[in-house]
Amino acid sequence: MRTSLRLGLVVMVAMFGGGDLAIAQTAKIKLGYAKCAHCLPMSLIPGMAKGVEVEATGFNSGNDVLTALISKSIDVAQVTYLHYVTALDKGFDVVAVSGQINGGSECLSSTKLNLPPDDWTAFKAIVAKGKSDGQLLKVAASRGNAQDIHMRGAFLKQGVDPNKDVQFINIPNPSDHLAALQRGEVDMICSVEPFASQIRLAGAGKHFVLPYDQAAGNLTNLIVTRSDVIASQRAGVQGVVSAVVELDNKLIADKAPWIDVINKLTGLDKNVATEALKNASPDPALHRSQTLAIAAMMRDLKYISKDVSAEAEKNMDYSFLGQATGKAKNDLGY
């Protein structure tokens, strides 16, 4: 009798409750991303993810996204390799699960500076004159973002100490970079796409250099989560990583959706978006050795207080990327 009753309940659940049960079991992930050219495709993830319901939110900067992840307002975050290292230095629980898109940094000089493109000798002469005149060159970036660290690393490699030889000015929101350069408040700025292209096309500044000659190279974006999210919502995290890999493959083949999403979410026209994508490259790999080099560079620049290389390596989880691509971790940047 009891067996018949249990069987009857199972049949009833299958007939009347199966749909609700399936909905209850669907993973739900809150995803955060920053508002930059190579970050904005993350807004397309909700429409591409399979087996997971994704709610995506755009933030003004990677710092804001990282804060939301640490405070548990979101579950998965698009940040940068540099945010990842910073978070580990502060003892936060972050786990890197995928790359996304790299590039997007450009240093632009004031037109009044008359600095030739890629001419480090001329730049160093201007910096030296500023020091001797007691008027340090004013260099701006959004403190702590990838462009700030790329610039500082490139300066240091050229023998220019960004903490002593120039006057650093923090402009938190990259959308304010154009106005600062246009008003003459700064002499040089290291900005992020699409705002760098906006500055150039508007004539507010000139290309100086892509600051990739340092330990971070052109690595920028990383997908991270927390260990408690992996423990409780592994399928959801997998759904996001698989969607990132699929999205990257599509964007390599066709940049039209990428241009559309920049146009839609920033209001910048498609010419600016098209120009911005010349300095961006989809790449879902997790670059281990370069991450350790970035951590060493950030320690040299005193952006972190201790050696976090062991934590950086330990907290890179290749299992999601391996399942999404069918590749071994040695083929995924390990």
Side-chain angles (χ1 to χ4, degrees):
M1 184 66 182
R2 288 181 178 176
T3 301
S4 300
L5 181 58
R6 281 198 297 270
L7 184 60
L9 287 171
V10 169
V11 171
M12 288 177 66
V13 167
M15 291 177 63
F16 304 111
D20 292 341
L21 189 60
I23 291 170
Q25 290 176 338
T26 299
K28 294 183 179 179
I29 292 289
K30 291 183 178 179
L31 170 70
Y33 60 92
K35 293 179 180 176
C36 63
H38 43 309
C39 313
L40 292 172
M42 293 298 292
S43 66
L44 302 173
I45 293 296
M48 300 184 65
K50 299 178 179 65
V52 55
E53 185 181 321
V54 180
E55 177 186 337
T57 302
F59 292 78
N60 281 335
S61 71
N63 290 332
D64 295 338
V65 183
L66 180 62
T67 299
L69 179 72
I70 299 305
S71 64
K72 301 190 176 183
S73 297
I74 59 174
D75 308 305
V76 177
Q78 168 272 307
V79 291
T80 68
Y81 281 80
L82 310 133
H83 288 113
Y84 173 62
V85 170
T86 301
L88 294 173
D89 178 57
K90 293 179 178 177
F92 295 141
D93 173 18
V94 290
V95 182
V97 292
S98 172
Q100 189 238 346
I101 291 174
N102 295 319
S105 301
E106 182 176 6
C107 292
L108 304 115
S109 63
S110 160
T111 53
K112 293 180 181 176
L113 214 55
N114 199 27
L115 179 64
D118 303 306
D119 190 339
W120 283 108
T121 301
F123 173 71
K124 286 188 279 189
I126 292 172
V127 169
K129 186 173 188 310
K131 285 186 72 175
S132 67
D133 291 347
Q135 294 182 328
L136 294 179
L137 195 72
K138 295 178 181 177
V139 178
S142 299
R143 184 183 293 278
N145 71 3
Q147 291 65 48
D148 177 28
I149 308 296
H150 284 167
M151 175 191 73
R152 288 170 184 270
F155 280 13
L156 203 60
K157 192 163 183 181
Q158 292 293 330
V160 175
D161 188 331
N163 295 317
K164 297 178 180 176
D165 296 337
V166 298
Q167 179 185 350
F168 178 77
I169 296 174
N170 179 32
I171 303 177
N173 193 336
S175 65
D176 296 330
H177 288 181
L178 184 148
L181 202 55
Q182 209 163 33
R183 290 195 295 259
E185 296 170 359
V186 298
D187 302 305
M188 177 174 287
I189 202 157
C190 195
S191 195
V192 62
E193 295 291 1
F195 304 107
S197 288
Q198 181 194 26
I199 291 169
R200 226 179 325 101
L201 294 177
K206 294 169 55 182
H207 165 79
F208 171 53
V209 72
L210 301 181
Y212 299 144
D213 185 19
Q214 33 68 35
N218 76 335
L219 296 186
T220 48
N221 286 6
L222 200 60
I223 307 300
V224 299
T225 183
R226 303 185 309 272
S227 58
D228 65 289
V229 178
I230 292 177
S232 63
Q233 301 194 71
R234 187 173 186 85
V237 176
Q238 183 62 61
V240 171
V241 173
S242 296
V244 169
V245 171
E246 183 182 351
L247 177 60
D248 274 9
N249 289 336
K250 287 188 175 182
L251 296 180
I252 289 170
D254 180 12
K255 289 187 168 55
W258 198 349
I259 293 169
D260 288 343
V261 81
I262 292 172
N263 173 244
K264 178 182 176 183
L265 296 181
T266 68
L268 296 175
D269 67 39
K270 292 190 177 183
N271 289 333
V272 172
T274 303
E275 186 71 14
L277 297 193
K278 295 176 182 175
N279 184 14
S281 52
D283 178 13
L286 281 172
H287 295 277
R288 183 182 61 87
S289 61
Q290 290 93 329
T291 302
L292 303 184
I294 290 169
M297 180 181 73
M298 290 179 68
R299 191 181 180 194
D300 290 343
L301 288 166
K302 304 188 186 309
Y303 258 62
I304 58 174
S305 60
K306 60 181 185 289
D307 180 5
V308 298
S309 54
E311 292 92 334
E313 184 163 1
K314 178 184 173 187
N315 286 27
M316 297 183 90
D317 187 337
Y318 285 82
S319 63
F320 299 97
L321 208 49
Q323 185 171 329
T325 62
K327 296 179 180 178
K329 65 181 183 180
N330 286 338
D331 298 321
L332 296 168
Y334 182 76

